[in-house]
């Protein structure tokens, strides 16, 4: 097994990110089930919820983004913190995840005057529609 295949098996790719999402304390009874269900989604490498109600999640952002994670949390019936700080952080996470997805699909270099084209995979095809929580 090469070093590259070892890293990929563990989920250590160039596009992996780790996020901390504050959850509403009202859904504490759903937390253990939710973290187990999130781990069944292929691009999600790690998901755990600490005592303070923070979901710590690691995923491959070339396939899935924070908006997709929030959709999955909605499917699981978990509310997030609705404060201003979380909305700012979520906006930043979304910006970074979209850049990662664009870079993952790009075939051109950064010094080119032409806009990058997708390498046969449109962003719409890679969206969360292929991943849903299943019982």
């Amino acid at each position: 097994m090469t070093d590259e295949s070892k890293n990929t098996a563990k989920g250590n790719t160039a596009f992996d990110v780790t996020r901390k999402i504050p959850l509403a304390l009202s859904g504490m009874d759903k937390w253990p089930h939710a973290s187990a269900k999130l781990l069944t989604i292929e691009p999600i490498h790690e998901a755990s919820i600490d005592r303070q109600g923070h979901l710590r999640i690691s995923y491959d952002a070339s396939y899935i983004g924070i908006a997709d994670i929030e959709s999955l949390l909605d499917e699981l019936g978990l509310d997030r913190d609705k404060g201003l700080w979380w909305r700012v952080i979520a906006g930043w996470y979304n910006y970074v995840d979209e850049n990662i997805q664009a870079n993952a699909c790009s075939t051109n270099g950064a010094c080119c005057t032409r806009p990058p084209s997708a390498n046969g995979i449109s962003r719409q095809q890679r969206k969360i529609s292929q991943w849903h929580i299943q019982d």
Side-chain angles (χ1 to χ4, degrees):
M1 185 181 259
T2 66
D3 287 337
E4 184 176 325
S5 61
K6 285 180 190 175
N7 287 340
T8 305
K10 292 180 183 177
N12 294 328
T13 67
F15 303 117
D16 284 355
V17 295
T18 300
R19 306 286 190 229
K20 183 171 87 169
I21 302 172
L23 301 175
L25 297 177
S26 60
M28 290 177 70
D29 56 325
K30 299 176 186 175
W31 290 355
H33 174 72
S35 59
K37 285 294 188 180
L38 286 171
L39 289 172
T40 64
I41 307 297
E42 185 179 339
I44 297 176
H45 307 302
E46 294 178 30
S48 63
I49 302 172
D50 63 18
R51 290 181 182 173
Q52 290 78 29
H54 293 112
L55 170 64
R56 297 180 189 278
I57 188 164
S58 174
Y59 57 90
D60 185 345
S62 65
Y63 289 99
I64 192 170
I66 192 69
D68 304 321
I69 299 295
E70 288 185 319
S71 294
L72 290 170
L73 293 174
D74 290 341
E75 278 187 46
L76 291 167
L78 293 176
D79 291 326
R80 278 141 338 270
D81 182 16
K82 304 222 185 315
L84 175 63
W85 184 243
W86 169 245
R87 290 189 311 237
V88 170
I89 295 296
W92 175 253
Y93 287 166
N94 190 49
Y95 173 77
V96 171
D97 289 350
E98 285 180 356
N99 280 337
I100 289 172
Q101 289 177 355
N103 288 333
C105 293
S106 176
T107 58
N108 296 329
C111 59
C112 181
T113 58
R114 295 175 298 164
S117 62
N119 58 0
I121 301 174
S122 73
R123 277 190 72 233
Q124 303 330 10
Q125 291 174 334
R126 299 180 90 170
K127 293 307 274 181
I128 194 66
S129 61
Q130 59 189 340
W131 296 290
H132 290 284
I133 303 298
Q134 299 174 3
D135 290 322

